[in-house]
Amino acid sequence: MAGSSLFVVGVALAGCSRYVEPKIDPDSLDIPKAGPSPLTEVKGGNATPALWISIKEDGAIKITCHRSEMGQQVWTSMAQIVADELDADWENVEIVQAVGHERYGDQNTDGSRSVRYNFHRLRVAGAAMKQMLVEAAAIYWKMDPSECEATLGKVSNNQNSDTLSYGNLAKVAAKLQVPEEAKVSLKDPKDWRYINKDIASLTVPKITRGESTYGIDVDIPNMVYAVVSRPPQVFGKTGAVRDAKALAVPGVIRTVKLPDATPPALFKALGGVAVVASDTWAAIQGRNALEIDWIDGPNASYDSEAFGEEMIQTAKQSGTIRRKRGDVSTGLSNASKRVEAEYYTPHLTQSPMEPPVATARWDGDKLECWACVQDPQATRQTLSDLLAIDKENITVNATWLGGAFGRKSKPDFVVEAAIIAKEVGRPVKVTWTREDEVRHGYYHSVSAQRLEAGLDADGKANSYLHRTVFPPIASTFSPGMDIPTDGEMGMGATDVPFNMPNLQVESGNAKGHLRIGWLRSVANIYHAFAVQSFAAELAHAAGRDQKDYLLELIGGARTLDLGSEGATYPNYDASIEEYPIETARLSNVVNIAADIAKWGRSMPEGHGLGIAVHRSFLSYIATVVEVAVSPEGALTIPGVWLAVDAGTVINPRHTQAQMEGGTIYGLSNALFGEITAKNGAVVQDNFPSWRVLRMGEAPRAFNVQIVKANSAPAGVGEPATPPAAPALTNAIFNATGHRIRKLPIIGASGSKLSLPTKQTS
């Protein structure tokens, strides 16, 4: 073939011969001069192939993951997207973790956004590099690229059986012009090799072999260890410190007083005193020996129980209208039957398996950190802002996260490590104990809600009023902020999908007295609990089947237009045109979940089924829970059935795992989760007083049905959590006649339901 340096080597195997791929010298080829990459502003951010993909001469392909791996398998899903469009051989794929840097665009592994934010641009990056590899082969063979084809890490041509490996072509491809997005051809979904396939995890084998690196695993030469004694209240201050006994503990090196925290909380360190030692155990023993006089701060009077009652009273009064349709007051007044209910959910804490931990090292004015953070880029910016150092002098390495659930998106613990390391002049690892994590975290907001509805003579709902009251997350960032944001209201309140002529959603004001932060599924937790519990209450009041009545509330197929009813709806920062609110998809998952659960089947005494549906993070999920309750109140969960429509799914296997994990997280919080405060301080301290679901308490059976859809990918990490609690409490009502409107159902100190005389409403 003209232009080829192909040669054939005879092999003494029954007269056969084999093709030996030639070694390509890029300097011997006439390669067009390349200009700047045009793929820096595609949808989702920079798609320049070299930012995401590196190909070695031996064919090994390294794909950079800029999101944090915390068990949700983002390493695998990001690699699947790139490798599919690249037409890589999966056996040659390796994933590497990105440092925190603006060149990657958004790195916040929060809000179930990793796939939907990056699906398009990572496909473009993979397809563009494949196109460049094909062009490189065409240059070598001196033929048109249309005569060449790439598959499984090799490029072939249609004239003979010659092939060239990606590793051999990489240096040539690197010299070529990156194609414009309009000239990049993406695969038809029917041709996907890895996307929407059950690809095995890239991380689990490393975990089982002990090759993973979590925050706690970091080991730096000359490193010392620290734990911090923090003020019991947010914005409490450190008074007199007597550390003689602490310094007498073997291994303790010194103590360091941290700056007192001042409003706003942001991601600042909370203050207090650090004990620095030769190992973590010595640091903990030294901290136990510290004597500190704490000075009360502005939250010293906070009592969560009293505050809950105050919020309930607020919810009984008219609030700020956030969405309005028709005339609710008139509709309620004219109703044949009026139904009212109040719901309460407590503070929660994220409780990741691995509490926060960070290591920091200074080299002159340069700072390098290793930490289990969900957003290394925000961590870098926080360190720059709070420590007044140039961001370019800061490197943040994201380790794996042993769970996170929102806690590790707040890098206050990294700030602590940086402050202490600079003070002691050595690398420092700061470890939070479980007690630290429970007592000094960023908590899910407490909430009180009141719902009212009017039913006509046929039991049909014609009026709906929802008032919600909770300290907003914005209170952590803006002192005195007590008004729920549109984003929080749009998580199950203003976007309620019910179809009746009169509907109104209102918000009340509440101040934050703890650091309020993100927790898996955020405001959807308390809104879905109230709305879906109330839907079941309406069904009971109307004498109707709960599932049938829920579908009637949702109504016929339509796309919601919340703006026309006065709601400002951020839609999880996604385009409402690309991700509309479609009631048909809600109804569909309700029907699927009900079908796989065999809704309507005969139930044994003490058993009950409950159902709930919710759209969050752009996905539609319906959950059916079966409970069994003994006469003494012992509760078990024989099964859960769940249907999810998350649009295009990258890995069904891992999506199923997220549905199971998200549901169990929701069940755990509903049954046992409660953080309380007295005198401004969190009462709970460890698992004896903060309870999570145990293995023997988990659902005995779990069936997840994933709806096949070609729509844009939506979130899967968080959406399974919100419907879990109302499906559970609705099931308990159907089993016992006991209506639960206040969480937790059992609490950390309990083991059984408290069953009063059987209720009928």
Side-chain angles (χ1 to χ4, degrees):
M1 181 177 62
S4 172
S5 59
L6 171 68
F7 59 93
V8 177
V9 179
V11 180
L13 292 174
C16 296
S17 64
R18 71 178 181 186
Y19 164 71
V20 177
E21 183 177 323
K23 183 69 174 178
I24 298 177
D25 176 13
D27 294 333
S28 67
L29 302 178
D30 184 14
I31 301 174
K33 186 176 180 180
S37 170
L39 293 181
T40 55
E41 295 298 332
V42 305
K43 177 186 173 185
N46 195 334
T48 303
L51 181 63
W52 306 103
I53 310 164
S54 172
I55 301 177
K56 295 182 178 180
E57 290 188 31
D58 64 1
I61 297 172
K62 287 190 175 183
I63 297 174
T64 296
C65 179
H66 65 302
R67 315 294 275 202
S68 295
E69 176 59 63
M70 51 188 169
Q72 84 283 36
Q73 304 300 330
V74 71
W75 267 27
T76 308
S77 58
M78 296 293 103
Q80 284 179 255
I81 297 168
V82 174
D84 206 321
E85 292 293 349
L86 180 60
D87 259 308
D89 184 342
W90 188 255
E91 295 301 316
N92 292 331
V93 170
E94 178 185 353
I95 198 84
V96 293
Q97 184 68 47
V99 298
H101 201 280
E102 292 80 1
R103 62 178 173 265
Y104 297 108
D106 185 283
Q107 287 185 266
N108 185 13
T109 314
D110 208 342
S112 296
R113 293 175 290 197
S114 291
V115 168
R116 68 179 175 93
Y117 268 26
N118 296 285
F119 183 61
H120 178 73
R121 69 162 165 166
L122 292 184
R123 290 185 69 194
V124 170
M129 181 164 281
K130 180 178 74 173
Q131 192 166 317
M132 294 165 70
L133 290 163
V134 168
E135 185 180 347
I139 290 172
Y140 179 78
W141 284 322
K142 294 186 177 179
M143 60 177 59
D144 192 273
S146 64
E147 299 179 281
C148 306
E149 182 181 9
T151 183
L152 289 177
K154 294 183 178 181
V155 180
S156 60
N157 66 70
N158 61 10
Q159 293 188 8
N160 52 44
S161 60
D162 291 2
T163 61
L164 294 170
S165 68
Y166 282 4
N168 199 2
L169 292 166
K171 288 185 177 179
V172 179
K175 295 177 178 291
L176 299 177
Q177 175 67 47
V178 176
E180 298 176 10
E181 182 180 6
K183 297 181 180 179
V184 174
S185 178
L186 299 178
K187 285 185 177 181
D188 188 299
K190 66 180 177 58
D191 297 324
W192 282 339
R193 186 186 303 274
Y194 305 126
I195 298 173
N196 200 228
K197 302 297 190 295
D198 288 336
I199 302 296
S201 168
L202 291 174
T203 60
V204 170
K206 291 180 180 291
I207 294 170
T208 57
R209 293 194 297 263
E211 298 172 356
S212 52
T213 299
Y214 294 91
I216 198 67
D217 297 323
V218 174
D219 188 12
I220 303 297
N222 198 35
M223 182 174 71
V224 290
Y225 302 79
V227 296
V228 179
S229 182
R230 301 170 185 85
Q233 309 151 4
V234 177
F235 305 130
K237 296 183 178 181
T238 306
V241 178
R242 294 172 292 280
D243 62 1
K245 293 179 181 178
L247 294 172
V249 173
V252 171
I253 298 169
R254 60 170 295 183
T255 61
V256 175
K257 184 179 182 300
L258 290 124
D260 291 328
T262 56
L266 304 175
F267 300 144
K268 297 174 184 175
L270 281 172
V273 179
V275 177
V276 182
S278 57
D279 58 74
T280 301
W281 179 250
I284 292 172
Q285 299 311 304
R287 181 174 68 174
N288 291 342
L290 274 177
E291 297 175 354
I292 303 174
D293 295 333
W294 300 114
I295 301 172
D296 284 348
N299 297 303
S301 63
Y302 180 51
D303 182 300
S304 56
E305 183 177 355
F307 188 68
E309 292 298 323
E310 181 183 320
M311 288 197 305
I312 289 173
Q313 294 306 312
T314 301
K316 291 179 179 179
Q317 303 168 23
S318 296
T320 303
I321 297 175
R322 310 296 286 263
R323 180 182 170 194
K324 180 180 175 64
R325 178 200 307 156
D327 186 338
V328 164
S329 295
T330 301
L332 290 172
S333 298
N334 295 336
S336 296
K337 179 182 258 187
R338 191 160 172 169
V339 183
E340 302 174 355
E342 291 158 3
Y343 300 90
Y344 174 85
T345 60
H347 288 296
L348 301 170
T349 187
Q350 295 86 358
S351 245
M353 184 179 293
E354 174 198 35
V357 59
T359 302
R361 178 179 66 192
W362 289 86
D363 182 8
D365 61 350
K366 294 185 183 297
L367 171 64
E368 186 167 11
C369 299
W370 295 260
C372 49
V373 290
Q374 290 176 248
D375 190 346
Q377 196 178 128
T379 302
R380 189 168 176 244
Q381 184 65 57
T382 296
L383 291 166
S384 176
D385 292 342
L386 296 181
L387 303 181
I389 54 178
D390 190 331
K391 188 167 60 176
E392 295 307 312
N393 289 337
I394 303 172
T395 301
V396 174
N397 304 286
T399 64
W400 283 5
L401 286 61
F405 312 120
R407 172 59 182 98
K408 295 171 184 175
S409 60
K410 300 96 169 172
D412 56 325
F413 57 100
V414 190
V415 175
E416 289 179 334
I419 292 172
I420 300 166
K422 190 166 189 178
E423 179 68 22
V424 302
R426 293 173 64 178
V428 170
K429 178 188 287 185
V430 170
T431 301
W432 283 47
T433 64
R434 181 64 62 190
E435 289 84 358
D436 295 333
E437 183 262 330
V438 173
R439 285 176 169 163
H440 301 291
Y442 290 78
Y443 302 95
H444 187 254
S445 189
V446 63
S447 166
Q449 299 174 76
R450 179 176 174 83
L451 289 93
E452 302 178 20
L455 309 184
D456 64 19
D458 296 324
K460 184 177 180 63
N462 58 26
S463 302
Y464 174 92
L465 173 64
H466 181 184
R467 295 194 189 113
T468 179
V469 183
F470 55 92
I473 293 172
S475 64
T476 294
F477 302 92
S478 301
M481 180 65 174
D482 61 359
I483 303 170
T485 62
D486 291 325
E488 289 164 306
M489 291 297 296
M491 293 181 173
T494 52
D495 57 342
V496 63
F498 296 161
N499 186 26
M500 65 268 295
N502 307 298
L503 181 148
Q504 190 159 301
V505 179
E506 302 174 5
S507 66
N509 297 356
K511 293 182 178 180
H513 300 281
L514 299 176
R515 297 192 296 180
I516 306 300
W518 305 279
L519 179 142
R520 190 178 197 171
S521 80
V522 211
N524 289 289
I525 290 178
Y526 39 82
H527 287 147
F529 171 60
V531 170
Q532 291 297 304
S533 295
F534 193 61
E537 296 210 41
L538 295 182
H540 182 76
R544 298 280 304 283
D545 174 82
Q546 184 196 336
K547 184 264 293 185
D548 293 342
Y549 199 82
L550 179 58
L551 291 171
E552 183 178 298
L553 287 172
I554 295 170
R558 66 195 187 285
T559 299
L560 298 191
D561 180 7
L562 303 181
S564 66
E565 297 176 0
T568 301
Y569 185 62
N571 199 32
Y572 300 91
D573 301 320
S575 162
I576 196 68
E577 288 74 30
E578 186 176 16
Y579 291 96
I581 305 174
E582 300 173 283
T583 60
R585 296 174 74 179
L586 268 177
S587 297
N588 185 46
V589 292
V590 168
N591 284 318
I592 292 173
D595 285 347
I596 60 177
K598 296 182 172 58
W599 185 270
R601 57 187 160 95
S602 177
M603 303 294 291
E605 181 70 22
H607 285 240
L609 291 177
I611 193 168
V613 67
H614 192 67
R615 176 189 184 266
S616 67
F617 303 94
L618 312 174
S619 291
Y620 303 78
I621 293 182
T623 302
V624 174
V625 172
E626 179 181 351
V627 300
V629 183
S630 73
E632 296 75 30
L635 172 74
T636 57
I637 305 175
V640 171
W641 298 264
L642 183 150
V644 52
D645 180 350
T648 297
V649 168
I650 305 304
N651 192 312
R653 175 179 180 175
H654 296 153
T655 297
Q656 177 178 337
Q658 287 294 293
M659 295 301 106
E660 294 170 351
T663 299
I664 289 173
Y665 195 81
L667 295 174
S668 180
N669 286 332
L671 285 165
F672 309 115
E674 181 178 33
I675 291 293
T676 59
K678 292 284 187 183
N679 300 319
V682 169
V683 173
Q684 291 72 27
D685 60 358
N686 205 321
F687 287 133
S689 57
W690 165 258
R691 180 88 149 75
V692 295
L693 197 73
R694 295 167 184 155
M695 189 177 294
E697 297 163 336
R700 300 294 192 270
F702 213 122
N703 189 327
V704 175
Q705 183 80 39
I706 300 173
V707 175
K708 292 184 178 180
N710 295 322
S711 51
V716 299
E718 301 179 78
T721 296
L728 175 64
T729 55
N730 291 340
I732 290 171
F733 176 79
N734 287 332
T736 68
H738 178 42
R739 184 74 69 186
I740 295 170
R741 301 187 181 103
K742 182 179 181 180
L743 299 180
I745 298 167
I746 294 175
S749 61
S751 59
K752 297 179 180 179
L753 290 174
S754 176
L755 295 175
T757 303
K758 188 166 183 177
Q759 300 174 354
T760 57
S761 62

